[in-house]
Amino acid sequence: MRRTVAVVCAVLLSGFVLQGCGAKQEEIADTSWQVVGVYTTPNYPATVPDAVAGAVAVNFGATTISGFTGCAPLQGTVSFTQAGKPANSVDGDALHVEKVSYRQVDEEQCTGHIRFVHDAIVRFFEHHDFAVSRPTGGELLLTVSGSELYDDAPALRLVH
């Protein structure tokens, strides 16, 4: 019986964070998250271009968001919930972005793929409500709420 439980926990921990086996979920707040994927539609599953890799980032606080879109800094306020009730960023399975604002974009510098990423991030956060998942350790996936049942759901993939 002990061996079976150990094997089950080892298998599940290799792909998922499982609280029942003693593993703790990662803190989202106070961690710098690099945006590595901006998924707008099935036709445009975009990775962040090399020209801005490492610079496109989102940072969460307990109630704040800040970062850089590749073209402009962003900042705003957020809240985390779990099963519809207030939660911290460790336990939260949903994120609400109350508001987010961006600095003015330099139109001459923000062009091409970098502009695509910037515009996609701006449009993404206009949705305000997101499902939070942690596919692997060090990875965070924000998916527009209500659309997580579809393969083509708008999402941001972040790593730290």
Side-chain angles (χ1 to χ4, degrees):
M1 177 72 173
R2 288 177 127 175
R3 183 171 186 252
T4 302
V5 170
V7 169
V8 169
C9 283
V11 168
L12 290 173
L13 285 173
S14 68
F16 302 98
V17 176
L18 183 66
Q19 290 178 343
C21 289
K24 184 176 179 182
Q25 291 198 92
E26 272 187 280
E27 179 73 48
I28 294 173
D30 302 324
T31 303
S32 181
W33 295 92
Q34 180 182 344
V35 178
V36 295
V38 180
Y39 307 103
T40 55
T41 67
N43 296 329
Y44 297 102
T47 57
V48 174
D50 290 341
V52 292
V56 181
V58 177
N59 306 298
F60 296 98
T63 60
T64 60
I65 185 174
S66 64
F68 187 69
T69 66
C71 291
L74 67 93
Q75 63 182 4
T77 56
V78 300
S79 59
F80 293 93
T81 58
Q82 180 183 37
K85 296 180 181 177
N88 59 36
S89 71
V90 173
D91 300 323
D93 60 8
L95 170 72
H96 176 74
V97 177
E98 184 66 31
K99 66 178 181 174
V100 65
S101 60
Y102 308 87
R103 282 208 190 136
Q104 185 71 27
V105 172
D106 180 342
E107 298 294 334
E108 291 181 19
Q109 297 294 318
C110 185
T111 60
H113 291 298
I114 296 168
R115 183 59 184 245
F116 171 81
V117 170
H118 167 81
D119 290 344
I121 290 172
V122 169
R123 280 190 307 276
F124 180 77
F125 282 121
E126 288 174 354
H127 292 283
H128 298 287
D129 291 302
F130 308 94
V132 175
S133 60
R134 298 162 176 93
T136 63
E139 184 178 15
L140 182 64
L141 186 65
L142 302 178
T143 307
V144 172
S145 283
S147 61
E148 60 269 5
L149 300 176
Y150 304 98
D151 291 337
D152 60 349
L156 284 183
R157 189 165 75 86
L158 305 102
V159 298
H160 73 91

